[in-house]
């Protein structure tokens, strides 16, 4: 019996996690094996783009998850390369090094499964596995700040995942009279076929619980409190996968549920709920960005802002803009976190006041970081400019009242990010920290900077040179999401 490609994509990282847990932790071998497993996973994830759409047991391949799985594979590979270059500065002992590398691959496999699952129960389990692996990675240093951030992450997201489980059960109960017992009551494809005949009250209640539960993991206000701590206190590479991957999977879970509830004319309007959470996230984050003094916390708040913008896009029904924004944010934010991580190693601090003049003192890193921050601010030629333009156009056409708060949030957040760009990359350079062997690989700064430029280049292509086949795939995703 041949294992289907989606399950190979899921199980390869998990097999890599077992191998990494058994390898001797000393030397460069674990980091290089981590890169090798991630490269193989990325190749399989890209191969999924050519796979036929359809449901295979608990998994499905469609226009929603094909680009996001490919994106996850590429970002995981970039993170593994950056980690190989910078892991020496984390100063892990043997047990912590094993835990860090194994948890990373467990997270990647769970991320793939969450995106590929057709069964909403399997999706719930996958997101929970990804969360537990993330908690372990955040706590791996064992410092008081890291333990506090991990506990906050675990407790808040634990409450969220419990609410999401209750919402999943309600969806099953709504479909059970029509599809009977068994897995079909949790299949996204099967639920869509019977959604118009389900009890609208149960569907509405289910979506509220799913929105709040998965919205916690997506970092939407007021459910966001874990995100700045987790991204500021974990190992440097982990910020990239939390913002670039975990938040996407959680929001996709909400969108899968929204596509079901949208089909029932008697149920609540799920787009309104998404709009509310999205606006709250955008406006609060746009103000909070002005008060951050820690660079990683600053960009964690930027993640909250951009997840809010994605929620607004999907709430308006501008699904193509929403998909572009999710993908563009993942690419640019991961690049920025790599840049900040490398800068924090060079300067010995992640405070904005201690990092300055990078463009002059370390041009390859500094200009890459500057361009990444400009991309987060919504400036061309990056894909976030295109998705935000599409979002504003959709708001003007369907909900003109939204233009004022949307424009205000974009303006405030963009100005705060440009201010951070000036503080971090321009002006007189601060002295480097006298840390010997900060980078683990020969030419380590170039290995750390390479993923920054690679992801930024992909963002430019996504925004201004989108291949016809990818545009068709994203159009199919927009149709499937309602």
């Amino acid at each position: 019996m041949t294992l289907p490609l989606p399950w190979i994509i899921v199980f390869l990282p998990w097999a890599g996690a077992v191998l990494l847990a058994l390898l001797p932790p000393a030397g460069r071998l674990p980091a290089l094996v981590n890169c090798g497993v991630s490269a193989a996973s990325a190749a399989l994830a890209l191969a999924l783009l050519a796979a036929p759409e359809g449901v295979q047991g608990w998994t499905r391949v469609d226009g929603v998850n094909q680009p996001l799985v490919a994106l996850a594979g590429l970002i995981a590979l970039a993170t593994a390369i950056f980690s190989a270059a910078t892991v020496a500065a984390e100063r892990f002992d043997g047990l912590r090094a094993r835990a860090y590398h194994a948890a990373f691959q467990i997270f990647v496999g769970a991320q793939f499964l969450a995106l590929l699952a057709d069964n909403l129960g399997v999706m719930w389990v996958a997101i929970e596995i990804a969360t537990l692996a993330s908690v372990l990675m955040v706590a791996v240093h064992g410092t008081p700040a890291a333990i506090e951030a991990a506990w906050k992450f675990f407790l808040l997201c634990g409450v969220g995942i419990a609410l999401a489980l209750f919402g999943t059960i309600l969806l099953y109960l709504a479909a059970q009279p029509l599809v009977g017992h068994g897995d079909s009551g949790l299949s996204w494809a099967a639920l869509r076929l019977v959604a118009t005949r389900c009890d609208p009250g149960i569907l509405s209640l289910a979506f509220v619980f799913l929105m709040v539960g998965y919205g916690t993991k997506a970092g939407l206000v007021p459910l966001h409190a874990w995100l700045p701590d987790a991204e500021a206190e974990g190992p440097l590479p982990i910020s990239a996968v939390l913002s670039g991957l975990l938040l996407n999977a959680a929001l996709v879970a909400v969108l899968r549920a929204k596509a079901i509830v949208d089909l029932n004319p008697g149920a609540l309007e799920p787009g309104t709920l998404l709009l509310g959470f999205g606006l709250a996230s955008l406006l609060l984050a746009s103000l909070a960005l002005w008060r951050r003094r820690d660079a990683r916390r600053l960009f964690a708040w930027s993640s909250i802002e951009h997840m809010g913008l994605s929620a607004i896009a999907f709430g308006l029904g501008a699904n193509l803009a929403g998909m572009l924004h999710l993908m563009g944010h993942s690419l640019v934010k991961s690049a920025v976190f790599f840049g900040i991580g490398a800068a924090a190693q060079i300067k010995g601090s992640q405070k904005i006041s201690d990092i300055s003049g990078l463009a002059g003192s370390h041009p390859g890193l500094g200009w890459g970081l500057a361009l990444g921050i400009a991309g987060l601010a919504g400036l061309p030629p990056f894909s976030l400019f295109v998705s935000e333009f599409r979002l504003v156009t959709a708001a003007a056409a369907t909900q003109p009242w939204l233009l004022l708060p949307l424009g205000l949030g974009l303006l405030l957040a963009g100005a705060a990010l440009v201010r951070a760009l000036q503080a971090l990359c321009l002006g007189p350079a601060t002295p480097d920290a006298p840390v010997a062997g900060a980078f683990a690989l020969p030419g380590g700064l170039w290995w750390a900077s390479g993923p920054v430029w690679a992801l930024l280049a992909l963002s430019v292509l996504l925004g201004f040179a989108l291949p016809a086949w990818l545009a068709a795939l994203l159009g199919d995703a927009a149709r499937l999401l309602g």
Side-chain angles (χ1 to χ4, degrees):
M1 180 178 176
T2 304
L3 197 64
L5 179 59
W7 285 108
I8 297 174
I9 292 172
V10 171
F11 283 126
L12 176 62
W14 288 351
V18 174
L19 175 61
L20 287 163
L22 297 175
L23 282 176
R28 297 174 185 166
L29 181 61
L32 296 177
V33 170
N34 194 38
C35 288
V37 173
S38 298
S41 295
L44 291 173
L46 290 171
L48 190 74
L49 291 170
E53 295 190 7
V55 178
Q56 292 181 322
W58 286 345
T59 66
R60 70 177 293 111
V61 176
D62 62 20
V64 176
N65 57 33
Q66 283 176 300
L68 292 177
V69 168
L71 177 74
L74 290 173
I75 289 176
L77 174 58
T79 304
I81 294 170
F82 176 81
S83 179
T86 60
V87 71
E90 304 290 351
R91 307 200 182 283
F92 293 134
D93 59 27
L95 179 62
R96 295 181 195 278
R98 279 194 173 100
Y100 167 74
H101 286 113
F104 176 76
Q105 291 298 337
I106 291 171
F107 171 88
V108 172
Q111 174 76 18
F112 287 147
L113 181 57
L115 293 172
L116 288 166
D118 177 66
N119 184 291
L120 298 183
V122 173
M123 178 184 288
W124 182 89
V125 171
I127 292 177
E128 178 66 354
I129 293 172
T131 301
L132 293 175
S134 303
V135 170
L136 177 58
M137 288 188 286
V138 170
V140 72
H141 279 303
T143 63
I147 296 297
E148 180 184 350
W151 267 112
K152 184 183 288 188
F153 188 3
F154 178 74
L155 291 175
L156 291 178
C157 288
V159 172
I161 204 69
L163 295 175
L165 176 60
F166 187 62
T168 303
I169 293 170
L170 287 174
L171 270 183
Y172 178 79
L173 292 175
Q176 191 180 41
L178 301 169
V179 300
H181 298 280
D183 291 347
S184 57
L186 289 172
S187 165
W188 185 69
L191 284 167
R192 290 194 74 205
L193 291 175
V194 300
T196 55
R197 294 181 286 144
C198 290
D199 184 298
I202 298 178
L203 282 183
S204 299
L205 188 60
F207 184 77
V208 170
F209 276 100
L210 289 165
M211 179 73 240
V212 174
Y214 286 127
T216 302
K217 290 187 181 295
L220 296 175
V221 171
L223 316 163
H224 64 286
W226 63 271
L227 183 57
D229 287 341
E231 294 196 353
E233 302 301 337
L236 294 173
I238 300 314
S239 301
V241 293
L242 286 179
S243 271
L245 301 185
L246 181 63
L247 304 186
N248 284 3
L251 192 58
V252 166
V254 174
L255 298 176
R256 294 285 195 193
K258 175 183 177 291
I260 295 167
V261 179
D262 262 336
L263 295 172
N264 191 303
L268 62 72
E269 176 52 55
T272 303
L273 205 54
L274 269 171
L275 269 179
F277 278 102
L279 269 180
S281 303
L282 170 64
L283 294 176
L284 180 62
S286 66
L287 295 173
L289 285 169
W290 289 91
R291 298 179 57 83
R292 301 306 103 189
R293 299 294 177 263
D294 181 290
R296 290 172 72 188
R297 287 181 185 273
L298 174 90
F299 293 112
W301 276 99
S302 172
S303 298
I304 295 169
E305 175 221 347
H306 283 286
M307 293 310 291
L309 287 168
S310 298
I312 292 171
F314 289 115
L316 284 172
N319 294 336
L320 181 57
M323 287 293 294
L324 280 172
H325 203 83
L326 279 182
M327 296 177 69
H329 172 250
S330 294
L331 291 169
V332 177
K333 181 58 62 62
S334 297
V336 167
F337 271 126
F338 294 151
I340 283 296
Q345 283 200 11
I346 292 168
K347 302 297 182 180
S349 170
Q350 59 192 46
K351 292 183 179 179
I352 294 175
S353 58
D354 294 332
I355 304 172
S356 182
L358 281 173
S361 60
H362 302 85
L365 175 64
W367 285 113
L369 180 59
L371 289 172
I373 298 172
L376 287 180
L379 299 178
F382 299 100
S383 58
L384 290 176
F385 169 79
V386 176
S387 59
E388 289 177 8
F389 179 79
R390 285 178 174 271
L391 171 57
V392 172
T393 302
T398 59
Q399 301 286 349
W401 64 269
L402 191 59
L403 287 176
L404 179 60
L406 180 60
L408 181 63
L410 287 171
L411 181 62
L412 285 172
L417 288 168
V418 170
R419 177 173 173 255
L421 185 159
Q422 293 175 321
L424 291 165
C425 302
L426 306 179
T430 54
D432 294 353
V435 180
F439 292 104
L441 298 177
L445 180 56
W446 290 107
W447 280 106
S449 303
V452 176
W453 287 96
L455 295 183
L456 291 178
L458 286 176
S459 174
V460 173
L461 290 174
L462 183 65
F464 289 91
L466 192 64
W469 61 268
L470 182 54
L473 196 61
L474 293 176
D476 185 43
R479 178 187 58 79
L480 287 171
L481 292 174

